[in-house]
Amino acid sequence: MNVITLKEFNEFLEKELKPAVLEFNGACGKAPELIDDIDIAVDMILNECKRVVEECNESIAAYTNKDRVERLDGIVDSYWTNTQLSNLFAVFGNKFGTDELYEAINHRDYDDVLLITYATELFPLAVSLAQGTIISGAAIIHAARLIIKNNKQKYTEDCDKAATWGENLADPDHSLEAYEYGGKLFYCIKRVTDDYIVKPFDFKNVKLGGI
């Protein structure tokens, strides 16, 4: 596998991973540009912090278990969720003002404020542990491209496919939702209690073995 420079890796994050993350979240109703209520903005930030912590903890567990495939998956998912979190801060900071955004955050319970610190400080540690010296930048990019493609299974423009998803919901807490993004109508399944994007019944897991 080719050696990837830090510059090339960062270019991949900016030019390939970030656009995929933004499309995924936009198609699934999580585009920050559409939010005009600062309290909803803070809710979205805190919710994404939970996703970052979840993926980072899975990365650390994979490191502990010396599971290369799960380490790769965890690294990419950690970058994925952290990219969305960074975008939320950037867009909301520009829309509401950075000082106003942090003032709204600081009005929340202190544990919620700590969650932001936890997520932002855990991310680099989790990636560092999961990557170690055995997983190259080239391997991460290879895995990320497969995951980017695989995640497209979680949303669709096909109304017939969406109807099938709706007929096969696995949990009463799951709901088929529709969102307009980029001039197109997308469908996805959400967990009602926390707005989590759920895999449809026909989702096929990505295969990262051999990378």
Side-chain angles (χ1 to χ4, degrees), residues 46 105-118:
L46 294 175
I105 289 170
N106 288 328
H107 276 95
R108 297 300 181 95
D109 290 342
Y110 188 54
D111 283 349
D112 288 338
V113 179
L114 285 177
L115 178 61
I116 295 174
T117 302
Y118 185 22

Side-chain angles (χ1 to χ4, degrees), residues 135-153:
I135 296 179
S136 66
I140 294 171
I141 289 175
H142 187 176
R145 285 174 173 153
L146 292 176
I147 289 172
I148 287 170
K149 182 178 179 180
N150 203 62
N151 277 345
K152 290 182 180 293
Q153 297 179 79

Side-chain angles (χ1 to χ4, degrees), residues 62-160:
Y63 153 77
T64 302
N65 295 328
K66 301 186 185 300
D67 187 325
R68 179 182 175 86
V69 170
E70 289 303 315
R71 286 169 81 160
L72 265 173
D73 184 67
I75 290 168
V76 176
D77 287 347
S78 295
Y79 271 113
W80 186 283
T81 52
N82 190 68
T83 298
Q84 171 67 356
L85 179 60
S86 298
N87 187 57
L88 293 179
F89 271 112
V91 173
F92 291 145
N94 183 62
K95 175 173 285 194
F96 301 111
T98 302
D99 291 343
E100 290 78 2
L101 179 62
Y102 276 95
E103 182 178 354
I105 289 170
N106 288 328
H107 276 95
R108 297 300 181 95
D109 290 342
Y110 188 54
D111 283 349
D112 288 338
V113 179
L114 285 177
L115 178 61
I116 295 174
T117 302
Y118 185 22
T120 54
E121 294 189 1
L122 184 62
F123 168 70
L125 174 62
V127 169
S128 179
L129 288 174
Q131 184 171 2
T133 58
I134 66 169
I135 296 179
S136 66
I140 294 171
I141 289 175
H142 187 176
R145 285 174 173 153
L146 292 176
I147 289 172
I148 287 170
K149 182 178 179 180
N150 203 62
N151 277 345
K152 290 182 180 293
Q153 297 179 79
K154 295 180 183 179
Y155 60 98
T156 184
E157 296 177 64
D158 187 332
C159 60
D160 291 330

Side-chain angles (χ1 to χ4, degrees), residues 53-64:
V53 169
E54 178 183 340
E55 298 300 346
C56 286
N57 283 337
E58 290 182 5
S59 300
I60 294 170
Y63 153 77
T64 302

Side-chain angles (χ1 to χ4, degrees), residues 148-188:
I148 287 170
K149 182 178 179 180
N150 203 62
N151 277 345
K152 290 182 180 293
Q153 297 179 79
K154 295 180 183 179
Y155 60 98
T156 184
E157 296 177 64
D158 187 332
C159 60
D160 291 330
K161 177 185 282 289
T164 304
W165 289 354
E167 292 165 359
N168 289 273
L169 295 178
D171 190 299
D173 190 34
H174 294 174
S175 175
L176 180 67
E177 303 291 343
Y179 301 99
E180 187 174 338
Y181 179 72
K184 300 177 182 178
L185 186 64
F186 292 96
Y187 303 89
C188 69

Side-chain angles (χ1 to χ4, degrees), residues 34-48:
L34 302 179
I35 304 301
D36 294 317
D37 185 319
I38 196 168
D39 289 324
I40 294 176
V42 174
D43 288 342
M44 288 180 67
I45 287 172
L46 294 175
N47 197 32
E48 197 63 30

